[in-house]
């Protein structure tokens, strides 16, 4: 199955996409568990930023497309987006009879190492406004007596 890194850790403002990819990861694992004894192998690949035709079109449609695309590629650990052919080659490799059984139930991250580092911008970190509001709520909760003040 092909899911996405979004199913492993989520992407901001993409709740339905991330949830559906997470469900596909869970389905893949469950198939491996329930049917592995019958010789059925289930492996889930989770690609990261890949320069598909759709991504290429969305990047080209942005204002300042060349600069944005360059910055986006530079944020990747390998300095570029993955090529769809790299994903296809990985599919061919893991689908071989020699690897299918040992990899049964595996969730493979194909992101060029992006999961190993923190992005230099704030696109994948909590918005400071939301973070501040959350800290205020946490402080309020932490200062309330556990018993609602009945024993104060």
């Amino acid at each position: 199955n092909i899911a996405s890194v979004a199913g492993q850790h989520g992407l901001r403002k993409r709740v339905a996409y991330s949830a559906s990819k997470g469900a596909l990861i869970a389905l893949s694992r469950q198939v491996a568990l329930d049917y592995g004894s019958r010789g059925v192998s289930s492996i889930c690949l989770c690609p990261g930023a890949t320069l598909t035709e759709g991504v290429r079109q969305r990047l080209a449609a942005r204002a300042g497309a060349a600069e944005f695309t360059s910055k986006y590629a530079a944020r990747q650990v390998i300095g570029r987006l993955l090529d769809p052919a790299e994903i296809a080659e990985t599919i061919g490799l893991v689908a071989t009879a020699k690897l299918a059984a040992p990899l049964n139930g595996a969730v493979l991250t194909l992101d060029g190492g992006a999961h190993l580092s923190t992005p230099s911008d704030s696109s994948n970190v909590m918005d400071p406004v939301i973070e501040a509001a959350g800290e205020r709520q946490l402080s309020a909760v932490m200062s309330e007596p556990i018993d609602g003040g009945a024993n104060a």
Side-chain angles (χ1 to χ4, degrees), residues 3-11 14 17-22 25 46-48:
S4 167
V5 294
Q8 295 175 303
H9 57 72
L11 296 176
R14 291 179 183 91
Y17 181 79
S18 297
S20 67
K21 297 303 180 176
I25 292 169
C46 296

Side-chain angles (χ1 to χ4, degrees), residues 11 15 22 28 32 45 60 69 71 82 99 102 112 124 131:
L11 296 176
V15 68
S28 299
L45 303 181
T69 301
K71 286 181 181 178
L82 294 174
L99 290 178
N124 290 327
E131 186 175 25

Side-chain angles (χ1 to χ4, degrees), residues 99-120:
L99 290 178
L103 289 174
N104 187 38
V107 177
L108 303 177
T109 303
L110 310 175
D111 66 359
H115 67 281
L116 301 173
S117 69
T118 303
S120 59

Side-chain angles (χ1 to χ4, degrees), residues 49-115:
T50 305
L51 193 55
T52 63
E53 186 56 37
V55 169
R56 193 183 319 271
Q57 289 173 5
R58 286 192 299 277
L59 290 172
R62 290 184 66 96
E67 181 182 359
F68 179 82
T69 301
S70 177
K71 286 181 181 178
Y72 185 50
R75 283 184 35 211
Q76 308 306 311
V77 172
I78 59 174
R80 63 177 178 79
L81 278 65
L82 294 174
D83 187 287
E86 294 171 307
I87 306 303
E89 289 171 17
T90 305
I91 293 167
L93 179 67
V94 302
T96 65
K98 286 184 177 182
L99 290 178
L103 289 174
N104 187 38
V107 177
L108 303 177
T109 303
L110 310 175
D111 66 359
H115 67 281

